[in-house]
Amino acid sequence: MTDKRIAVLTGAGVSAESGLGTYRDNGGLWDSYDPMEVASIEGWYRNRGKVLDFYNMERRKLKDAKPNRAHLLIASLENDYTVDVITQNVDNLHERAGSTHVVHLHGEVTKVRPENTCNDEDGFSERSVFDVGYDEVKLGDKAPNGVQLRPHIVFFGEAVPKLEQAIDLVARADIMLIVGTSLSVYPAAGLYRYARAGVPIYLIDPKEVNTFDKRIHQIRKVATEGMEEFIALLKD
Ligand code: OAD
């Protein structure tokens, strides 16, 4: 065990080999659904039923998915390092693979909350977040406070309550690893810039990700193969 810290930023690509689709690849989720309708705060107020149905579908998909070798290898880094996983994913595959410190920047699909909480009305308190597992949530399903339940997801157009925590973890890292994200959604996409000078940054993705940042060492492989290569590099 070293006293080094690794910050791992993940996106949909790390779960692709578990059968969960990405958002922006060809055939990705946003080819079939308009994110402004199903994953934005405006979309929620326009048509709550449609948004609830979309996340009911996402919960059903997750129920049948399993962590893949990339999730398991990320969890295994904890044998030698202090590891902070910062994920944009709303699935629970990092936790199911054994990662013990996971920050969900964009929320969690297995959780819900009354629509008037965890926002600026209550100072982003997570006190009334409920676990629903893989169950459906319908229009008319209410929290004990009588308010409609909504997915515990950071919709487009909403603040990212865990951003400060994520920045702090990246700033403390000795090694930064990015896996399976197109780096197209801010503020998550800019997080790696908080890595201290001299901290090596690796990015695993089969496609070239345009960062224009010469510090980033790209491993052009799918997550499972890229993680094997990353771990071999750590041992060099
Ligand atoms: P994207 O769909 O934008 O990007 C997925 C990335 O994964 C792409 O760069 C792919 O090349 C890569 N990829 C595909 N298959 C892969 C594999 N097997 N191994 C490794 N990489 C692979 O997804 P994100 O960047 O995660 O937000 O998207 C960010 C946010 O946009 C999401 O959290 C979601 C979405 O709208 C919310 O819903 C709030």
Side-chain angles (χ1 to χ4, degrees):
M1 180 85 188
T2 73
D3 55 3
K4 287 196 173 173
R5 302 183 72 100
I6 303 187
V8 188
L9 173 70
T10 63
V14 77
S15 297
E17 290 165 89
S18 293
L20 299 178
T22 60
Y23 295 95
R24 294 176 185 79
D25 288 305
N26 274 343
L29 258 186
W30 296 157
D31 273 356
S32 314
Y33 296 90
D34 178 351
M36 290 307 131
E37 283 184 17
V38 298
S40 78
I41 189 63
E42 294 88 349
W44 171 254
Y45 286 121
R46 219 178 292 129
N47 189 340
R48 290 170 170 83
K50 192 170 196 172
V51 175
L52 288 169
D53 281 347
F54 176 78
Y55 286 102
N56 285 336
M57 173 187 80
E58 291 298 279
R59 246 175 254 121
R60 274 196 302 276
K61 281 201 272 181
L62 180 57
K63 185 179 180 185
D64 298 326
K66 289 193 182 62
N68 65 54
R69 187 151 169 77
H71 297 104
L72 294 169
L73 288 173
I74 290 170
S76 77
L77 294 172
E78 291 188 21
N79 296 332
D80 297 305
Y81 298 88
T82 300
V83 182
D84 297 302
V85 177
I86 302 158
T87 187
Q88 298 166 84
N89 298 344
V90 298
D91 66 46
N92 55 10
L93 298 181
H94 282 301
E95 288 90 339
R96 282 161 58 192
S99 283
T100 59
H101 190 213
V102 184
V103 175
H104 283 273
L105 271 185
H106 294 163
E108 292 170 77
V109 75
T110 52
K111 295 181 178 173
V112 294
R113 64 178 199 255
E115 64 176 346
N116 64 341
T117 61
C118 198
N119 55 30
D120 52 8
E121 278 182 44
D122 73 344
F124 296 102
S125 161
E126 282 200 39
R127 275 194 301 274
S128 42
V129 173
F130 303 89
D131 214 319
V132 281
Y134 305 106
D135 289 349
E136 292 213 326
V137 184
K138 297 280 187 208
L139 210 52
D141 286 351
K142 294 190 173 149
N145 69 354
V147 171
Q148 172 68 45
L149 290 171
R150 60 162 274 180
H152 185 47
I153 298 287
V154 175
F155 291 141
F156 284 105
E158 294 191 301
V160 179
K162 302 229 164 133
L163 182 63
E164 298 287 308
Q165 187 188 356
I167 289 173
D168 182 54
L169 295 173
V170 171
R172 292 166 68 191
D174 300 294
I175 300 168
M176 172 94 207
L177 171 65
I178 306 169
V179 189
T181 169
S182 60
L183 292 180
S184 43
V185 174
Y186 283 82
L191 266 178
Y192 72 86
R193 294 173 193 276
Y194 291 89
R196 285 174 288 122
V199 166
I201 306 177
Y202 298 89
L203 187 156
I204 298 171
D205 200 296
K207 281 197 214 148
E208 185 175 358
V209 178
N210 267 330
T211 62
F212 305 105
D213 191 322
K214 298 226 169 3
R215 284 197 296 171
I216 297 184
H217 174 78
Q218 297 209 14
I219 299 174
R220 294 273 299 276
K221 292 189 170 167
V222 293
T224 50
E225 293 170 14
M227 277 307 299
E228 305 276 5
E229 183 167 327
F230 173 72
I231 286 174
L233 284 169
L234 285 179
K235 288 184 178 145
D236 276 352

